[in-house]
Amino acid sequence: MNFVLAAGGTGGHMIPAHALAAELKARGHGVLLITDARGSRIPGLFDDVPVHILPAGRLTKTPWGMLKAMRSVMAGRREAKTLYRKHRPDAVVGFGGYPAFPALLAASSLRIPTVLHEQNAVLGRVNRLLAGDAAAIATAYERVERLKPGHERKVALVGNPVRSSIVKLGELPFPAFDSFAPLKLLVTGGSQGATVLGEIVPAGLGELSENLRHRLQVVQQCRPDDIERVRDTYRDLGIPAELSTYLRDMDDKLGACHLMIGRAGASTIAELTAAGRPAILVPLPIATDDHQTANARELARAGGARMIPQPQFTPEALARQIEALADDPEALSNAAARALSVGRPHAARDLADLVERIGQGDRPALVGPAIKAATPSIGLAPAGATA
């Protein structure tokens, strides 16, 4: 079979698309990615998958901005229709983000079935616009906000796909930790880093007791403009820290850490729960529809994370939370187990099963979250051919 994956240009959209692509290719299907220039530049993703860049405008509230965006969307739609006529996909899978919009519009106009994947606990704007035409809506949470009641019958809970190397971490024991062992912290801020973490985390670690501070080992992602300042702060505190603007080996870093401090993006939550790692989460306050706070709730309620709203995210508050976990060696391992308990490590498999059924013309009976509360082909085969 042939599938097109359409994803916006951020890691939150691209990483689950990458995980699904790997699963579909392993099953022998042809896969092509549609994204924007940003998505095509993310390193380590889709190296062996053809990538097609479409024009896509970002819808704004101003009349001129809306007109400009719609012109771009319509141009992308025309380009996608030409692509689909040449290489007819069995289904198009959208992962949200404005670059996915024209690709999905084109599929609907050609009566190609579409599947929407929603990574967050709040249905995104593009997915809300396209939900009516979708054959299925795959979700990562049992309860998804902004989902219309009439669309509940289309919903299947599959989880948020992550890389297989992350899933394998959940099958391994949690790193040993006791009253004398080093405390290994991983600090991330999404694909672009976060200045507030670069300001608060080093200061918060400086508030810890001298005994605990001397046991710290820190790996932290920083914005390029912040990295030298953060490095100087850690040096003054005498805390060993490995700093980088982009973490290429996230699976190794996550596997080694005892505690993650970071935002509550969809991919972050999915990786924490698949790997079984406790976290202190600081949701991005300006995230659309406050979806990061919604993302963090399930993990926090399960006891796998502690959530601090950014206005309350101070060095003192962070230090108190770290000490509460580090002072009891069992607290970290218990939190890790609780994080793992809400993980969905087979999300890529389950999503691949769903899109195969949709591509075959099947409309499986779906249960919505709101109701419950040979050698893989490299690209798409031409229409009528076998991938």
Side-chain angles (χ1 to χ4, degrees), residues 9 12-13 62 72 77 92 130 141 147 155 161-162 174 257 262 281 308 312 316 321 331 352 366 376:
H13 301 304
T62 65
S72 183
R77 177 177 176 269
V92 177
L130 298 168
Y141 293 89
L147 180 70
V155 172
V162 299
F174 184 69
C257 83
L281 300 173
I308 306 177
Q312 284 80 56
E316 295 76 18
Q321 295 289 359
L366 306 176

Side-chain angles (χ1 to χ4, degrees), residues 41-129:
R41 292 194 295 265
I42 296 178
L45 302 182
F46 295 97
D47 292 336
D48 58 350
V49 171
V51 177
H52 194 92
I53 297 175
L54 280 188
R58 182 177 181 86
L59 304 180
T60 65
K61 295 181 179 179
T62 65
W64 171 245
M66 182 66 75
L67 178 61
K68 185 178 178 181
M70 289 310 299
R71 285 177 176 171
S72 183
V73 168
M74 289 300 102
R77 177 177 176 269
R78 289 192 298 271
E79 192 172 328
K81 288 176 71 173
T82 299
L83 179 67
Y84 297 162
R85 289 189 180 107
K86 183 183 298 184
H87 300 290
R88 180 89 180 187
D90 293 282
V92 177
V93 187
F95 287 84
Y98 288 105
F101 194 26
L104 291 159
L105 286 176
S108 294
S109 69
L110 294 177
R111 299 185 182 276
I112 299 169
T114 61
V115 177
L116 305 180
H117 182 266
E118 180 55 61
Q119 302 91 49
N120 294 298
V122 181
L123 200 66
R125 290 177 179 175
V126 168
N127 283 348
R128 292 202 295 268
L129 289 170

Side-chain angles (χ1 to χ4, degrees), residues 216-234:
L216 294 176
Q217 293 181 7
V218 179
V219 174
Q220 183 161 347
Q221 178 198 26
C222 301
R223 294 179 64 86
D225 293 344
D226 300 333
I227 193 167
E228 292 305 322
R229 173 182 55 80
V230 176
R231 182 175 283 114
D232 290 343
T233 302
Y234 278 126

Side-chain angles (χ1 to χ4, degrees), residues 211-294:
N211 178 57
L212 182 55
R213 192 168 67 246
H214 288 166
R215 293 164 52 200
L216 294 176
Q217 293 181 7
V218 179
V219 174
Q220 183 161 347
Q221 178 198 26
C222 301
R223 294 179 64 86
D225 293 344
D226 300 333
I227 193 167
E228 292 305 322
R229 173 182 55 80
V230 176
R231 182 175 283 114
D232 290 343
T233 302
Y234 278 126
R235 184 176 57 247
D236 293 342
L237 291 169
I239 297 174
E242 177 187 339
L243 307 181
S244 176
T245 58
Y246 184 80
L247 301 176
R248 293 178 180 271
D249 54 345
M250 176 59 80
D251 48 355
D252 292 335
K253 303 302 187 190
L254 188 61
C257 83
H258 296 105
L259 177 66
M260 197 282 285
I261 303 170
R263 294 299 196 189
S267 290
T268 296
I269 301 296
E271 290 179 347
L272 288 169
T273 56
R277 291 297 182 272
I280 295 174
L281 300 173
V282 187
L284 177 66
I286 61 171
T288 305
D289 300 317
D290 196 23
H291 67 257
Q292 288 205 4
T293 297

